[in-house]
Amino acid sequence: MPGPAPDQRMRPEGRRNTQGIRIDPEAEATHEPRMAVLSALVKHEPGVLSEVSSLFSRRQFNIESLTVGPTQDGDTARMTIVIEEPEPGVQQAKKQLRKLIPVIDVEELESAAMRRELALIKVAGDRPGDVQAVAEMYGGDAVDASKDAVTVEITGSKQKIDAAIEAFEQFDVLEIVRTGAAALERGSKTMDSTTMESDN
Amino acid sequence: MSERASIPKRDPEEVPERENGIEEVTTGSQSVIAALEQAGVEHAFGVQGGAIMPVYDALYDSSINHITMAHEQGAAHAADAYGIVTGEPGLAMATSGPGATNLVTGIADAAMDSDPLIALTGQVATDFVGNDAFQETDTTGITMPITKQNYFADHSDTVGDDVSEAFALAEKGRQGPTLVDLPKDITKGETDQWPNPPKTPETHDEPVEADESAVEAAVTALEDAERPLILSGGGVVKSEASEELRSFAHEQEIPVITTMPGLGTFPETDDLSLGMAGMHGTGAANMAVTNCDVLLGVGTRFDDRLTGGVDTFAPDADIIHVEIDPAEISKNIEADYPLVGDAKRVLEQIDDAMTDAPEADQWREQCQIWTEEYPLTYETPDDEPLKPQYVVETFDELADDDAIVTTGVGQHQMWAAQFWTYEYPRTWVSSNGLGTMGYGVPSAIGAKIGAPDTEVVAFDGDGSFLMTIQELSVAVRENLDITYVVLNNEAIGMVRQWQDGFYEGRRMASEYPWVPEFDKLAEAFGARGFRLEEPEDVEETIQAAREYDGPAVIDAIIDPAENVFPMVPSGGDNGLFALNEQHLEMI
Ligand SMILES: Cc1ncc(C[n+]2csc(CCOP(=O)(O)OP(=O)(O)O)c2C)c(N)n1
């Protein structure tokens, strides 16, 4: 005698959301994405950047920006990766990053961390004085000027650069290049290359 | 059924004694081979070629036994299977370019199942790298996402260490494939450097013990459970934790289900066993996992073939997740109690911490009822035409208890999972995660080389068999005592089953009315061939094939209408498994 058909079978009450998290059956379903700044200390060797970037793309993490450069110690480099993910995704990104062999440590920086990005903005050169005035408002500088164009450098938070770019739109913007964020924790806290913290 | 005269049986007396390994290192290649010997490698599976030739030349003086495969994909699958049955990394070798790309499927397969595997690939000389030289591919680039780590050897003095590290990484922590790409000038280059013994890099974390307080918390949940359940996965095989799992389950009297890679980790003959869960799992296992209140998942990554839709997976259960890879925790299913560590050690920790067994008499009774309500069965109207399930069941009865089963991918794979009774770990060798058709023929070769004294049976489909049939030549040359059973339905049956179920029977490109006669093809390769059509011949044919000392192929012409049930449709609710086509329409 075969047991009950599908619709007659014993069933539990519970439910999970699409992220596999058990939830109140009546309540809201998914976590909203949030912005997270990950800082990774990695071995300064060929292929690391492509390993990290290919990890992020194949796992479908939403990257806002990724920057990399050497540290005070020539053997290591520091990457700053800004991602926008719902909570399980942020944790997953950290854990996947930690798994890569050339990765020494990964931390999520607090929201108060120092975040800086740099932009070079090239605008038409017919109103150089006005351009310089706007640049100064944002603590920037004209770093190149020719008959036809002025290039301005701005450093600061993403919001500040967004605002500056908006302000420059009154001129004829020819080209913009931005670096993406580099970030460090405030205060004396540093990332230690000897400890591999691993949270779950 | 004549034996082919041109392939004489090998008399062990006639095989010359091998020299006992590399005696001196003068080149990068010798250092590579010395590293392998030092790591204890006994067998290598591969195919020769220009860029890998210096390495093969050094292999000439080695104690390592090389098995030449017909295709590099075969080398990778054979090495993968060798790794599964022995627990030691299997070794696959290929030349640059096409040799390396042919390995890719097998490497990806090993990655998905966390099987220990080392791939050594030849590469064009460093001066030519990046120039699109003859037979150049960016092998490290191509294999980056499917290896645990790969290496581009850039110096003759360190190439041996690259291989040592690759070896250590393949087998330590969560196992997996590693690859070393070997440019020809590096392997030919002079060096007197003996490689260091295998050691993983410092940045590689290998958790062993779970945090004690986390164990305490998990144990409390388990003790208080009313409907506790253990889910045993492939990690239990890898960490040799099957004994610990068995004694723990018995002591606490907790029912056990397995994933497909976990087949054999808990004896299916045991009263507490509910069998395999998931898409084609048993009714009892899927009812239990849906209704449990605490699920102890050990060494599993909660693959979607197991969970079905995550929203309905164990929806009432607190999840205790024992896993060596922290990144698997809460990847697919959120863990309420993550226990990061080696399954064997963590099970001991849990066992030590348990004071009271959960009170679950009623639950066990309920599980028993489900087992009786939903046995694995098939309809046998006079047993005509031949039922694949009957072939598998009969073979299981005749085979040794510890026989190893390998498979291709498709319906036959599911029947082999369902209708064979697994009792021991490392007896199920299959492409679980990647689902690679063509895995069957070469994996049986790797399994037999790894476990020469154990009976090896390969169930294959006609489609899967055709994908790597050329490896039969290797089984013949090595005179491997393997019984291949092709469950021949003249179709890529699993696809056809889905077309009938979900595409209104529009059988686009799934019927193979032109399959060759596999028994004759087997004979052409020098193997023994049998054709099996009548149910009354099943036992006799299987016995004849088993008794033949060498590779035998049974071409079993099965009922083409047979489908795999129970079935949970992709992304569906495990508790709503279908027992037949009518159920499929209901859910
Ligand atoms: C290399 C590869 N190609 C395609 C598929 C898709 N696929 C999954 S099962 C299947 C049918 C397998 O047919 P066969 O080997 O004859 O086994 P059967 O299902 O008939 O037992 C196919 C085509 C696959 N898994 N692997």
Side-chain angles (χ1 to χ4, degrees):
Chain A
M1 239 311 266
D7 51 353
Q8 315 279 310
R9 291 181 198 142
M10 179 170 158
R11 305 235 15 106
E13 291 291 302
R15 189 161 77 95
R16 290 177 192 276
N17 66 14
T18 51
Q19 297 152 341
I21 301 171
R22 211 142 38 105
I23 47 168
D24 178 349
E26 313 299 324
E28 195 23 58
T30 46
H31 279 230
E32 287 307 311
R34 70 177 177 89
M35 205 65 96
V37 182
L38 306 184
S39 190
L41 194 62
V42 303
K43 291 239 172 96
H44 195 16
E45 61 188 27
V48 184
L49 178 60
S50 88
E51 246 188 275
V52 170
S53 59
S54 98
L55 168 78
F56 275 73
S57 74
R58 77 172 180 273
R59 297 229 177 237
Q60 303 266 297
F61 297 128
N62 245 328
I63 301 194
E64 159 90 17
S65 76
L66 191 164
T67 62
V68 57
T71 67
Q72 72 282 9
D73 147 18
D75 294 338
T76 61
R78 183 95 169 223
M79 288 187 189
T80 306
I81 307 155
V82 184
I83 56 170
E84 193 176 5
E85 279 292 325
E87 197 48 59
V90 174
Q91 299 309 323
Q92 184 58 211
K94 283 200 266 184
K95 291 190 281 194
Q96 291 292 346
L97 255 180
R98 265 195 203 115
K99 259 173 80 165
L100 298 180
I101 304 296
V103 171
I104 300 163
D105 199 2
V106 180
E107 266 174 33
E108 182 180 347
L109 301 185
E110 286 164 17
S111 52
M114 302 289 296
R115 272 176 69 177
R116 289 292 177 273
E117 116 172 55
L118 178 140
L120 294 171
I121 304 160
K122 187 182 284 186
V123 298
D126 43 1
R127 292 155 59 199
D130 295 349
V131 172
Q132 177 64 21
V134 174
E136 275 169 16
M137 275 170 57
Y138 291 94
D141 250 331
V143 289
D144 180 59
S146 68
K147 192 154 63 59
D148 305 325
V150 180
T151 301
V152 171
E153 174 196 314
I154 310 265
T155 316
S157 67
K158 180 179 179 297
Q159 292 77 358
K160 177 172 153 188
I161 289 176
D162 288 344
I165 288 172
E166 219 181 292
F168 277 107
E169 267 160 18
Q170 59 180 293
F171 311 107
D172 186 11
V173 177
L174 303 175
E175 244 178 349
I176 298 175
V177 58
R178 299 172 68 153
T179 58
L184 270 187
E185 206 76 83
R186 283 183 194 271
S188 60
K189 196 176 164 214
T190 59
M191 218 153 129
D192 186 348
S193 60
T194 56
T195 55
M196 277 273 284
E197 66 152 333
S198 79
D199 53 23
N200 301 314
Chain B
M1 281 191 251
S2 62
E3 265 175 64
R4 210 170 108 181
S6 64
I7 301 172
K9 274 246 180 79
R10 187 197 276 173
D11 178 356
E13 308 291 336
E14 283 171 20
V15 180
E17 279 274 315
R18 286 181 163 275
E19 292 298 324
N20 247 353
I22 295 275
E23 280 168 10
E24 193 188 4
V25 168
T26 62
T27 63
S29 288
Q30 285 168 338
S31 189
V32 167
I33 301 302
L36 295 171
E37 287 179 351
Q38 192 168 262
V41 172
E42 289 174 23
H43 302 280
F45 303 88
V47 178
Q48 262 279 23
I52 195 79
M53 227 187 280
V55 182
Y56 269 88
D57 188 62
L59 202 53
Y60 195 82
D61 299 317
S62 164
S63 60
I64 295 170
N65 169 40
H66 181 267
I67 296 131
T68 301
M69 302 298 288
H71 186 291
E72 289 86 355
Q73 183 187 351
H77 291 325
D80 173 80
Y82 179 90
I84 296 172
V85 303
T86 64
E88 305 283 323
L91 174 61
M93 297 172 62
T95 194
S96 64
T101 55
N102 277 350
L103 282 183
V104 166
T105 303
I107 297 173
D109 194 291
M112 290 289 272
D113 287 345
S114 310
D115 296 332
L117 173 81
I118 296 169
L120 298 183
T121 46
Q123 183 55 278
V124 299
T126 45
D127 279 355
F128 291 93
V129 168
N131 293 356
D132 301 326
F134 178 64
Q135 295 196 329
E136 183 194 355
T137 54
D138 173 11
T139 303
T140 51
I142 290 172
T143 58
M144 188 187 291
I146 53 168
T147 50
K148 199 169 159 184
Q149 179 67 7
N150 65 26
Y151 299 81
F152 181 86
D154 60 0
H155 206 288
S156 305
D157 288 342
T158 49
V159 62
D161 287 341
D162 291 341
V163 174
S164 280
E165 190 172 295
F167 194 95
L169 272 176
E171 69 171 350
K172 294 274 172 56
R174 179 179 179 176
Q175 299 185 328
T178 56
L179 178 143
V180 188
D181 202 27
L182 301 163
K184 199 167 182 177
D185 55 326
I186 303 298
T187 50
K188 283 177 84 168
E190 281 182 22
T191 181
D192 57 2
Q193 291 299 307
W194 279 88
N196 287 299
K199 187 174 169 300
T200 56
E202 284 140 32
T203 53
H204 183 249
D205 207 10
E206 289 155 33
V208 179
E209 276 198 1
D211 181 69
E212 268 307 329
S213 59
V215 172
E216 291 288 340
V219 160
T220 306
L222 201 52
E223 286 172 341
D224 293 344
E226 287 171 10
R227 303 188 305 278
L229 186 66
I230 297 172
L231 167 67
S232 177
V236 174
V237 181
K238 308 290 183 207
S239 84
E240 302 281 350
S242 183
E243 274 311 316
E244 285 73 10
L245 184 103
R246 287 166 195 223
S247 67
F248 177 73
H250 283 141
E251 227 166 277
Q252 311 299 334
E253 291 189 84
I254 302 174
V256 181
I257 60 174
T258 73
T259 66
M260 195 159 84
L263 284 175
T265 53
F266 193 75
E268 292 180 332
T269 46
D270 195 295
D271 285 345
L272 286 169
S273 169
L274 306 178
M276 176 176 91
M279 182 174 278
H280 291 298
T282 66
N286 281 328
M287 286 304 288
V289 75
T290 305
N291 289 288
C292 64
D293 67 351
V294 173
L295 181 66
L296 170 62
V298 189
T300 171
R301 62 191 174 90
F302 293 108
D303 176 78
D304 56 276
R305 281 294 191 272
L306 167 78
T307 60
V310 291
D311 52 332
T312 50
F313 180 75
D316 269 359
D318 275 344
I319 308 278
I320 305 171
H321 193 180
V322 178
E323 213 346 285
I324 197 161
D325 180 355
E328 288 306 326
I329 303 283
S330 303
K331 185 184 79 179
N332 297 332
I333 297 291
E334 191 191 38
D336 302 283
Y337 301 97
L339 301 179
V340 178
D342 180 65
K344 190 182 180 82
R345 181 65 198 115
V346 179
L347 278 171
E348 286 169 354
Q349 287 180 281
I350 296 176
D351 198 26
D352 290 346
M354 286 288 278
T355 48
D356 302 306
E359 282 176 32
D361 287 348
Q362 231 183 329
W363 168 245
R364 277 188 298 272
E365 255 166 59
Q366 181 58 62
C367 290
Q368 197 50 46
I369 293 172
W370 285 326
T371 306
E372 283 155 23
E373 281 180 339
Y374 301 110
L376 282 168
T377 52
Y378 51 98
E379 278 175 46
T380 54
D382 311 323
D383 282 334
E384 294 268 8
L386 184 59
K387 298 290 173 184
Q389 301 94 330
Y390 177 64
V391 177
V392 175
E393 260 181 351
T394 310
F395 208 136
D396 184 25
E397 278 159 26
L398 298 171
D400 298 344
D401 281 349
D402 63 348
I404 293 171
V405 171
T406 90
T407 76
V409 166
Q411 293 180 311
H412 63 277
Q413 177 190 27
M414 296 305 136
W415 291 316
Q418 292 176 332
F419 289 89
W420 191 280
T421 309
Y422 296 91
E423 292 198 57
Y424 305 102
R426 305 196 186 282
T427 58
W428 168 251
V429 179
S430 194
S431 175
N432 304 289
L434 194 65
T436 309
M437 285 172 74
Y439 185 78
V441 187
S443 64
I445 292 171
K448 191 69 192 178
I449 300 276
D453 300 326
T454 308
E455 180 169 1
V456 174
V457 184
F459 289 103
D460 223 332
D462 41 283
S464 293
F465 198 60
L466 275 176
M467 286 204 177
T468 48
I469 196 167
Q470 67 278 11
E471 304 302 343
L472 265 186
S473 64
V474 179
V476 170
R477 189 194 62 229
E478 301 287 326
N479 194 35
L480 300 177
D481 195 4
I482 297 167
T483 313
Y484 289 99
V485 183
V486 183
L487 297 175
N488 186 350
N489 52 9
E490 294 202 341
I492 47 175
M494 188 57 98
V495 169
R496 200 198 46 202
Q497 173 167 347
W498 282 49
Q499 287 170 332
D500 289 356
F502 311 112
Y503 291 84
E504 297 156 13
R506 290 152 57 92
R507 295 181 174 182
M508 178 69 192
S510 61
E511 290 173 303
Y512 279 15
W514 35 263
V515 289
E517 294 176 56
F518 292 114
D519 54 330
K520 292 190 182 155
L521 207 44
E523 296 278 333
F525 274 107
R528 180 62 69 87
F530 300 87
R531 186 175 170 89
L532 173 60
E533 284 177 277
E534 307 299 332
E536 60 265 26
D537 295 340
V538 169
E539 203 172 314
E540 195 187 336
T541 310
I542 290 172
Q543 281 302 28
R546 289 184 71 227
E547 277 158 25
Y548 177 69
D549 180 20
V553 175
I554 301 175
D555 190 5
I557 313 300
I558 59 160
D559 182 354
E562 199 58 35
N563 280 337
V564 184
F565 286 103
M567 176 179 197
V568 179
S570 185
D573 177 337
N574 282 341
L576 301 183
F577 52 87
L579 293 172
N580 50 45
E581 269 90 0
Q582 292 77 44
H583 279 180
L584 271 186
E585 283 166 20
M586 292 166 67
I587 55 185

